[in-house]
Amino acid sequence: MSSLLTYAQNAADKLYLPDETMEVTIEEVGTNVIKYRHLGEQATYEISKNRVNKIQFASGREEVFRSAFNEVHSIDDYQKVYITYVPEDVKGLLAKGEVFAKATGVTTLSSINNVKNRAVKKAKIEAAMLGANVIYVGNMFQRGNQYGSEETPGNSTMTSISGMAYNSNPINIPKTKDWIENQKFTYSHSYKLNRNAWDAKIDAKPIYDEKGNINFLTFEQVFERDGKLFVEANFRDARGKELEVIRADNEQLILMERNGKTIYNYLFLSENEARVINAKKAFSTAKY
């Protein structure tokens, strides 16, 4: 009995996150957050329930959670960006930058809902281009159509959204850094979003030259700063000298930079991407 009592006192709860498992002492499972302490410490921490897959309590009982957060791999997944008005939802998430979007009706007969949806779409696109999958909205302003008179001009409906973008599952910096340093890439296309524009603009790039050679490049200067990964820009389209890595997998690399009200994404394909492999095969066949 003494041994069982000692075990119960020393046993830890396990907090299962998407990228790690932590042994902790769970203090409270709330509506939006989980409060816990690290073993042997008294300080209490909070984490959004949306970041937790499950809890395995020291008693043996398990509690499984279903996150509202989705994986957003690129701008193409912008609709999956989750919008919240609850500050506890973003506890423990990596902040990626401020988001602001505004949409105005063309005439005083414009639909309020259509204008609001356009503002939400722009906010989600901006978040996706920042490498985020969650927006915490700090302020939303809506104005209905205002019909004028002989003395007063009319105003069409308008919606503005401001908040902070977050990433619930940031990249593995050491692993990603090693991968980038040992890969060749070809520049595929870029996206540009200005806050005053209706939508993002895409600019496709040729992945091979007039002779059929694939335009490969490498990034030799890869470094971490403030919990984020950057590369030194070495291609013509880049505006600045440092670009943030927002997505990286075995086939694709996405770099981001922000210049005032404009965000740029640069997409690169690795040697392992299907289109690059097929292009290399086609070029080899044509040679012989």
Side-chain angles (χ1 to χ4, degrees):
M1 186 177 295
S2 175
S3 298
L4 289 174
L5 181 60
T6 301
Y7 172 78
Q9 290 174 338
N10 294 331
D13 303 313
K14 290 185 178 180
L15 203 58
Y16 288 84
L17 309 183
D19 55 348
E20 65 174 320
T21 300
M22 299 192 300
E23 291 194 347
V24 298
T25 299
I26 301 295
E27 290 193 340
E28 180 185 331
V29 179
T31 304
N32 301 106
V33 299
I34 296 168
K35 296 182 180 181
Y36 66 93
R37 288 184 291 107
H38 291 290
L39 299 182
E41 299 180 7
Q42 297 302 313
T44 299
Y45 296 86
E46 293 183 354
I47 187 171
S48 168
K49 286 175 70 174
N50 286 305
R51 284 200 63 208
V52 179
N53 293 333
K54 71 175 182 179
I55 298 174
Q56 185 176 24
F57 293 95
S59 64
R61 183 175 68 87
E62 288 189 352
E63 189 167 350
V64 179
F65 304 95
R66 183 175 180 179
S67 175
F69 300 158
N70 301 302
E71 280 289 329
V72 176
H73 299 285
S74 69
I75 188 176
D76 296 329
D77 296 330
Y78 77 87
Q79 291 180 325
K80 296 180 180 180
V81 173
Y82 181 76
I83 291 183
T84 181
Y85 301 86
V86 181
E88 287 80 10
D89 277 346
V90 295
K91 290 280 188 181
L93 272 59
L94 177 65
K96 300 295 292 185
E98 294 180 351
V99 171
F100 178 82
K102 183 171 73 171
T104 305
V106 178
T107 70
T108 53
L109 299 177
S110 298
S111 165
I112 293 176
N113 286 333
N114 288 345
V115 170
K116 177 185 176 182
N117 291 338
R118 198 148 45 84
V120 169
K121 176 183 176 181
K122 288 174 66 176
K124 287 187 173 185
I125 290 175
E126 185 170 340
M129 292 182 69
L130 288 171
N133 63 336
V134 183
I135 299 174
Y136 167 60
V137 175
N139 183 54
M140 176 183 284
F141 173 77
Q142 254 189 308
R143 181 189 69 205
N145 287 310
Q146 298 173 341
Y147 302 99
S149 63
E150 292 183 1
E151 294 81 17
T152 307
N155 290 309
S156 60
T157 180
M158 185 268 285
T159 298
S160 66
I161 299 171
S162 59
M164 181 66 70
Y166 292 87
N167 189 329
S168 65
N169 191 22
I171 60 175
N172 183 315
I173 289 180
K175 183 179 178 180
T176 304
K177 181 177 183 294
D178 180 70
W179 179 74
I180 294 174
E181 290 175 335
N182 291 280
Q183 278 286 336
K184 291 181 180 179
F185 300 94
T186 182
Y187 187 15
S188 172
H189 54 285
S190 66
Y191 286 101
K192 174 185 177 181
L193 176 67
N194 186 283
R195 284 180 174 172
N196 296 323
W198 278 59
D199 208 338
K201 294 183 179 180
I202 185 172
D203 184 13
K205 307 293 179 180
I207 66 172
Y208 47 83
D209 60 24
E210 64 278 359
K211 296 182 180 180
N213 298 311
I214 298 177
N215 301 311
F216 280 121
L217 57 82
T218 59
F219 296 101
E220 298 179 358
Q221 300 298 322
V222 188
F223 54 94
E224 178 185 356
R225 186 175 66 240
D226 299 328
K228 299 176 182 179
L229 192 63
F230 296 85
V231 303
E232 187 175 295
N234 59 356
F235 59 100
R236 183 181 300 174
D237 285 1
R239 275 75 181 169
K241 295 182 179 179
E242 299 176 357
L243 307 178
E244 182 183 348
V245 179
I246 61 168
R247 296 290 172 192
D249 55 38
N250 191 44
E251 297 183 343
Q252 191 179 78
L253 171 69
I254 305 180
L255 307 178
M256 183 275 295
E257 69 173 329
R258 193 172 207 166
N259 186 357
K261 297 181 179 179
T262 306
I263 301 175
Y264 301 89
N265 275 181
Y266 308 103
L267 283 74
F268 295 84
L269 306 178
S270 78
E271 295 177 281
N272 302 317
E273 205 274 338
R275 284 167 290 179
V276 177
I277 294 173
N278 292 334
K280 289 169 69 176
K281 288 180 179 178
F283 175 61
S284 299
T285 303
K287 284 180 64 178
Y288 299 102

